[in-house]
């Protein structure tokens, strides 16, 4: 139900090209978004409501367009369009592709991504905000309305980038979305900054993994009206993590917060400890988890994935295994999982499943986490089906040292058997196979 | 600024009208709140007339409180966080009313025998949809849980602020008795740019289901708008009950409830009959 532009309306661009309004896509508090085409190519156009079309907003957009996107995950403003008749304006950005779904769809169970896809999405999210913050910018309004992910591949797209400002900009009007804003903003003590973005990022990751808010437990269940005083208390003045090990006053309530209870059991200890830190010491700005730690932890989570015989995805919990010697009990069939072979590279332990791929960042710490151009894949021997190996997909040869000390080379395209104790030198790093 | 008609007719198939309707306009006519609810007609929802009554009461009260505290005046950061709070508050307060009612009115022996599933989760017996709108001169908030229709007429064009939910097929609907009902609400926040709509029509699904297709149903909104301009409010008020009865008898056979909110013409005395009224 659009009000600002009409379908088939043509908006001139610089007197040369033109932008054809195709259809209304949706609206928010600031304006309306339309699908448009320019020279036959589809784009999205956000047009501001007259009250929101301020000179500050325009200047901010011009700045963002000038500096460009931190990476290709951001649906970044490309250029401005203006209507001189009423002094309103909008901006062109890439169109979100249909396979990208919102966290709302996850909450409503309209999509059920694999743990693998969630881990990849977590890596991309942390990585993208790392790059944004490294550019001296602050997102200000991280929430699940702004993140879309492909439930198959885990790729992400980050929308609503027009409220991004330089870190510490005091002239901000957008303070964030309730539930995602840092406690110090809720209490009225701070403005959005990189520190508060880090809190919102932690909330968003918590939503993605546990399908629940980190501070909504017993205290939330008692709320009669979700008004400002109730929200300020829950998210600002007395925030308590639902799994705070020292403060048990805000545990999730069975029958109300079932997602949190169910998903808490499925994740490995290091992930749970990270979220405990994020929402205990991390309730204060100087205790926040940095983007890189989130990214590395999400990548470690990806590497911890195993499959139960029933087919369900589970996580190997190295901490639990080292302490008790017991493998993860499958969340689906409730039987102990069988530990697959592992590849240990430095401190990292990668589970070797039939579909495991080893990526450049696994074998070269200087390379950023990207899940493309794998350097190795798992192969089954064509004749001896019980024999598995790594196929070298890279352009470099590997050096393999057997348990007896024999050194052989594995050329690109060739395989190395997964035998306990053998070492593979990938060039920058060396890994050992554990079976 | 507004004139309202709220009308409901009972299905010949139901012993009780399970729909509810309510609206409120304060003395200063600053805003209008309207709500309708369709208590489910299935056998296990045997208290849905009470559930729908609770639903409209809760929504009217919550919208009034939010308007008084200016919650929706400055939504620079969007509506997404606020709508979650609204949905949670509506759901929780409705649940509280239902639980209190159950505590004071436990199931009778006959009710206990109706369905074992309901005996284990008694809230189901109160199941209802909910539709509503908060209409002000600066913005309008539309809200919907489950089936039913909201149509808006402006400049002789009919639009749906909340599109039909493609996830709902046949007679399936979301309900306030769902454990996660708060995540199933849909909202539309519309800042008013230029003129207010000429007509906002809310109706339970008994209305649209009486028409062969959506286009025919949407024409009804245009007809009401034209009648209002040509014949006036009193003509519609006098006849609407009969029209609705005819519609359901020859159509869905369901309870049928509608609220029509007309923007008054300049020469009419605004909200003359409805001022400071809760109905």
């Amino acid at each position: 139900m659009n009000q600002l532009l009409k379908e088939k309306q043509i908006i001139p661009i610089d007197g040369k090209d033109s932008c054809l309004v195709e259809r209304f896509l949706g609206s928010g508090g600031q304006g309306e978004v339309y699908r448009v085409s320019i020279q036959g190519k589809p784009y999205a156009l956000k047009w501001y409501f007259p009250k929101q079309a301020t000179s500050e907003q325009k200047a901010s957009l011009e700045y963002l367009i000038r500096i460009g996107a931190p990476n290709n995950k951001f649906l970044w403003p490309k250029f401005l369009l203006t209507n001189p008749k009423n002094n309103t304006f909008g901006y062109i950005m890439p169109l979100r592709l249909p396979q990208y779904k919102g966290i709302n769809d996850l909450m409503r169970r309209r999509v059920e991504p694999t743990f693998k896809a969630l881990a990849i999405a977590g890596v991309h999210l942390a990585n993208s905000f790392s790059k944004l913050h490294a550019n001296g910018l602050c997102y200000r309004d991280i929430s699940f309305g702004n993140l879309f992910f492909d439930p198959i591949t885990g790729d992400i797209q980050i929308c609503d980038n027009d409220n991004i400002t330089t870190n510490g900009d005091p002239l901000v009007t957008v303070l964030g979305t309730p539930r995602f804003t840092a406690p110090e903003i809720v209490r009225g003590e701070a403005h959005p900054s990189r520190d508060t973005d880090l809190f919102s990022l932690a909330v968003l990751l918590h939503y993605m993994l546990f399908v629940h808010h980190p501070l909504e437990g017993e205290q939330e269940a008692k709320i009669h009206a979700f008004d400002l005083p109730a929200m300020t208390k829950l998210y600002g003045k007395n925030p308590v993590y639902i799994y705070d090990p020292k403060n048990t006053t805000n545990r999730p309530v069975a029958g109300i917060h079932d997602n949190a209870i169910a998903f808490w059991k499925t994740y490995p200890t290091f992930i749970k400890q990270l979220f405990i830190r994020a929402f205990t010491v991390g309730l204060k700005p100087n205790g926040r988890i940095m983007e890189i730690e989130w990214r590395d932890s999400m990548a470690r989570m990806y590497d911890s994935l195993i499959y139960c015989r029933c087919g369900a995805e589970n996580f190997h919990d190295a901490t639990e295994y080292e302490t008790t010697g017991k493998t993860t009990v499958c969340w689906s069939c409730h039987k102990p999982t069988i530990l697959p072979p592992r590849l240990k590279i430095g401190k990292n332990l990668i589970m070797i499943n039939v579909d495991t791929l080893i990526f450049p960042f696994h074998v070269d710490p200087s390379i950023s986490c990207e899940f493309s151009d794998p350097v190795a894949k798992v192969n089954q021997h064509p004749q001896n089906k019980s024999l598995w190996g790594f196929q070298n997909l890279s352009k470099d040869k590997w050096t393999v040292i057997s348990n007896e000390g024999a050194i052989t080379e594995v050329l690109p395209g060739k395989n190395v058997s997964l035998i306990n104790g053998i070492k593979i030198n990938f060039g920058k790093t060396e890994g050992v196979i554990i079976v | 600024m507004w004139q309202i008609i709220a009308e409901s007719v009972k299905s010949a198939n139901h012993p009780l009208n399970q729909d509810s309707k309510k609206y409120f306009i304060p003395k200063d006519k600053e805003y209008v709140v309207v709500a309708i609810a369709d208590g489910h007609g299935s056998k296990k929802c045997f208290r849905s007339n009470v559930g729908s009554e609770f639903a409209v009461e809760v929504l009217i009260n919550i919208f009034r409180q939010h308007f008084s505290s200016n919650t929706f005046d400055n939504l620079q950061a969007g509506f997404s966080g606020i709508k979650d709070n609204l949905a949670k508050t509506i759901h929780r307060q409705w649940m509280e009313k239902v639980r209190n009612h159950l505590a004071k009115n436990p199931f009778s022996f006959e009710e206990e025998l109706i369905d074992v599933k309901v005996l284990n989760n008694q809230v189901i017996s109160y199941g209802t949809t909910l539709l509503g709108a908060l209409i002000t001169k600066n913005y309008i908030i539309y809200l919907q849980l489950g089936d039913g229709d909201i149509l808006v007429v402006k400049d002789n064009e009919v639009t749906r602020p909340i599109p039909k939910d493609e996830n709902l097929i046949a007679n399936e609907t979301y309900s306030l008795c769902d454990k996660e009902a708060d995540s199933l609400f849909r909202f539309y926040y519309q800042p008013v740019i230029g003129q207010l709509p000429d007509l906002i029509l809310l109706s339970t699904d008994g209305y649209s289901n009486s028409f062969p297709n959506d286009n025919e149903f949407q024409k009804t909104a245009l007809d009401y708008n034209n009648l209002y301009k040509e014949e006036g409010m009193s003509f519609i008020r006098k006849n609407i009950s009969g029209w609705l009865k005819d519609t359901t008898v020859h159509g869905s056979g369901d309870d049928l409830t509608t609220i029509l909110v007309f923007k008054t013409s300049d020469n009419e005395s605004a909200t003359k009959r409805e001022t400071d009224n809760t109905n």
Side-chain angles (χ1 to χ4, degrees), chain B:
Chain B
M1 196 179 284
W2 295 282
Q3 286 195 308
I4 298 181
I5 292 178
E7 190 60 60
S8 186
V9 296
K10 186 180 81 62
S11 153
N13 306 325
H14 297 161
L16 278 171
N17 186 341
Q18 291 150 323
D19 289 355
S20 293
K21 61 184 182 354
K22 201 173 182 73
Y23 63 85
F24 174 79
I25 309 176
K27 273 184 185 166
D28 58 14
K29 307 163 202 165
E30 266 198 293
Y31 67 99
V32 176
V33 193
V34 292
I36 60 170
D38 181 354
H40 306 325
S42 74
K43 196 178 160 192
K44 61 188 176 189
C45 297
F46 46 83
R47 291 187 175 186
S48 68
N49 59 318
V50 180
S52 68
E53 185 66 34
F54 287 164
V56 295
E57 275 174 24
V58 163
L59 182 60
I60 296 284
N61 287 338
I62 289 172
F63 266 152
R64 287 178 64 179
Q65 285 160 13
H66 276 286
F67 183 85
S68 303
S69 52
N70 305 319
T71 309
F72 309 119
D73 284 359
N74 185 8
L75 292 181
Q76 183 93 19
F79 188 55
S80 60
I82 289 169
K83 71 185 181 188
D84 293 343
N85 292 344
L86 257 179
K88 276 196 169 194
T89 304
I90 293 163
H91 187 220
R92 199 156 283 178
Q93 293 191 7
W94 181 82
M95 283 287 212
E96 284 170 9
K97 275 184 174 281
V98 167
R99 289 197 185 106
N100 288 340
H101 188 263
L102 270 169
K104 288 177 190 160
N105 306 277
F107 279 2
S108 65
F109 179 69
E110 290 78 16
E111 285 176 325
E112 281 184 358
L113 293 177
I114 290 176
D115 192 316
V116 69
K117 274 185 195 163
V118 181
L119 198 56
N120 293 332
N121 181 9
Q122 301 190 1
V123 176
I124 291 174
S125 62
Y126 294 80
T128 180
T129 67
L130 178 61
L131 291 89
L134 167 62
I135 306 159
T136 77
K137 62 181 190 301
N138 295 321
Y139 61 84
I140 303 171
I141 295 172
Y142 304 94
L143 157 165
Q144 180 162 2
L145 173 78
D147 57 28
D149 301 273
I150 304 177
L151 302 180
V152 174
V153 181
K154 189 177 177 185
D155 301 331
N156 279 323
E157 273 186 31
V158 183
T159 51
R160 285 181 179 273
I162 299 176
K164 274 192 169 293
D165 194 332
E166 302 299 332
N167 294 308
L168 294 174
I169 52 165
N171 281 327
E172 195 188 10
T173 184
Y174 299 130
S175 171
L176 271 172
C177 71
D178 293 339
K179 201 174 85 180
E180 292 171 0
D182 57 290
S183 70
L184 303 169
F185 275 87
R186 295 186 300 148
F187 292 87
Y188 184 76
Y189 173 82
Q190 178 196 7
V192 173
I193 297 169
Q195 291 292 308
L196 282 159
D198 298 314
L199 166 64
I200 297 171
L201 178 154
L202 284 77
S203 61
T204 54
D205 72 332
Y207 210 168
S208 56
N209 287 344
S210 296
F211 291 84
N213 57 53
D214 198 47
N215 279 346
E216 292 298 314
F217 171 59
Q218 290 197 15
K219 278 182 194 164
T220 310
L222 285 176
D223 290 344
Y224 277 125
N225 192 42
N226 291 334
L227 278 172
Y228 178 73
K229 284 180 197 161
E230 290 160 14
E231 305 289 341
M233 189 68 163
S234 55
F235 179 78
I236 300 174
R237 199 181 295 286
K238 197 170 133 190
N239 291 291
I240 190 166
S241 178
W243 295 333
L244 296 184
K245 272 180 196 150
D246 275 356
T247 304
T248 184
V249 165
H250 298 108
S252 66
D254 196 358
D255 298 335
L256 197 164
T257 299
T258 190
I259 294 185
L260 309 171
V261 184
F262 294 99
K263 182 179 71 177
T264 52
S265 315
D266 293 340
N267 58 354
E268 284 176 275
S269 62
T271 57
K272 196 175 172 186
R273 290 179 60 171
E274 288 79 17
T275 298
D276 201 16
N277 195 0
T278 303
N279 202 336

Side-chain angles (χ1 to χ4, degrees), chain A residues 46-87:
Chain A
K46 175 170 175 177
W47 202 267
Y48 290 88
F49 292 126
K51 277 187 182 173
Q52 315 291 354
T54 61
S55 55
E56 291 83 6
Q57 182 70 66
K58 197 173 178 187
S60 175
L61 277 167
E62 284 166 343
Y63 173 69
L64 294 173
I65 290 163
R66 199 165 58 246
I67 61 170
N71 68 15
N72 64 1
K73 307 300 177 198
F74 292 87
L75 299 180
W76 201 259
K78 289 177 88 71
F79 55 88
L80 275 174
L81 293 179
T82 53
N83 181 350
K85 284 180 192 164
N86 60 7
N87 280 327

Side-chain angles (χ1 to χ4, degrees), chain A residues 309-329:
Chain A
R309 280 163 295 181
C310 73
E313 280 182 303
N314 282 267
F315 292 103
H316 171 59
D317 191 333
T319 313
E320 188 71 17
Y321 185 67
E322 282 162 18
T323 314
T324 65
K326 290 180 180 168
T327 60
T328 303
V329 173

Side-chain angles (χ1 to χ4, degrees), chain A residues 236-249:
Chain A
K237 290 184 177 165
N238 187 30
V240 178
Y241 185 42
I242 52 173
Y243 284 109
D244 185 332
K246 291 180 186 162
N247 183 348
T248 60
T249 60

Side-chain angles (χ1 to χ4, degrees), chain A residues 35-334:
Chain A
R35 182 189 163 103
V36 298
S37 71
I38 299 169
Q39 292 183 335
K41 285 186 183 170
Y43 292 94
L45 166 63
K46 175 170 175 177
W47 202 267
Y48 290 88
F49 292 126
K51 277 187 182 173
Q52 315 291 354
T54 61
S55 55
E56 291 83 6
Q57 182 70 66
K58 197 173 178 187
S60 175
L61 277 167
E62 284 166 343
Y63 173 69
L64 294 173
I65 290 163
R66 199 165 58 246
I67 61 170
N71 68 15
N72 64 1
K73 307 300 177 198
F74 292 87
L75 299 180
W76 201 259
K78 289 177 88 71
F79 55 88
L80 275 174
L81 293 179
T82 53
N83 181 350
K85 284 180 192 164
N86 60 7
N87 280 327
T88 59
F89 56 87
Y91 68 91
I92 294 287
M93 62 186 143
L95 193 65
R96 176 164 58 83
L97 300 171
Q99 68 265 33
Y100 290 83
K101 308 294 179 189
I103 305 290
N104 268 325
D105 294 316
L106 177 70
M107 302 295 290
R108 293 180 184 190
R109 300 204 187 93
R110 284 183 186 156
V111 294
E112 295 196 339
T114 58
F115 283 132
K116 184 188 275 185
L118 281 177
I120 293 172
V123 168
H124 287 319
L125 185 64
N127 204 30
S128 300
F129 279 99
S130 171
K131 291 192 186 316
L132 179 90
H133 291 149
N135 288 358
L137 299 170
C138 163
Y139 190 85
R140 297 196 291 175
D141 191 22
I142 299 174
S143 78
F144 58 47
N146 307 331
L147 174 70
F148 293 84
F149 70 104
D150 182 334
I152 309 293
T153 66
D155 195 20
I156 64 165
Q157 293 193 324
I158 300 167
C159 305
D160 295 340
N161 298 303
D162 50 337
N163 293 316
I164 290 172
T165 57
T166 50
N167 188 29
D169 185 349
L171 298 171
V172 295
T173 48
V174 174
L175 295 178
T177 299
R179 285 191 171 80
F180 287 86
T181 43
E184 62 269 27
I185 295 181
V186 177
R187 293 192 298 267
E189 296 165 4
H191 279 294
S193 65
R194 180 191 174 182
D195 285 341
T196 63
D197 267 6
L198 289 175
F199 183 85
S200 308
L201 175 63
V203 174
L204 186 53
L205 286 164
H206 196 278
Y207 260 118
M208 285 168 61
L209 268 56
F210 300 98
V211 200
H212 192 71
H213 192 283
L215 305 175
E216 293 178 359
E218 203 177 323
Q219 308 297 336
E220 188 261 1
K222 291 176 187 163
I223 294 174
H224 172 74
F226 289 82
D227 52 17
L228 193 59
M231 302 285 283
T232 306
K233 187 181 174 198
L234 191 66
Y235 306 111
K237 290 184 177 165
N238 187 30
V240 178
Y241 185 42
I242 52 173
Y243 284 109
D244 185 332
K246 291 180 186 162
N247 183 348
T248 60
T249 60
N250 198 25
R251 287 284 183 265
V253 178
I256 300 176
H257 308 127
D258 291 339
N259 284 339
I261 295 168
F263 283 105
W264 185 252
K265 295 171 191 164
T266 64
Y267 287 98
T269 304
F270 75 91
I271 287 289
K272 292 193 261 198
Q273 284 172 342
L274 189 64
F275 278 105
I276 288 172
R277 253 179 63 213
F279 297 110
T280 53
V281 294
L283 291 170
K284 292 185 177 167
N286 56 7
R288 303 266 148 85
I289 309 281
M290 294 294 159
E291 310 89 337
I292 301 301
E293 189 172 356
W294 282 120
R295 185 198 66 190
D296 292 348
S297 299
M298 292 294 120
R300 189 176 161 196
M301 196 173 96
Y302 174 88
D303 291 337
S304 304
L305 270 168
I306 54 175
Y307 295 104
C308 176
R309 280 163 295 181
C310 73
E313 280 182 303
N314 282 267
F315 292 103
H316 171 59
D317 191 333
T319 313
E320 188 71 17
Y321 185 67
E322 282 162 18
T323 314
T324 65
K326 290 180 180 168
T327 60
T328 303
V329 173
C330 175
W331 61 266
S332 177
C333 69
H334 308 295

Side-chain angles (χ1 to χ4, degrees), chain A residues 354 377-389 415:
Chain A
V354 288
K377 73 168 187 173
V378 175
N379 251 352
Q380 193 174 25
H381 193 279
Q383 279 86 45
N384 184 354
K385 300 287 183 193
S386 65
L387 201 59
W388 293 83
N415 291 277

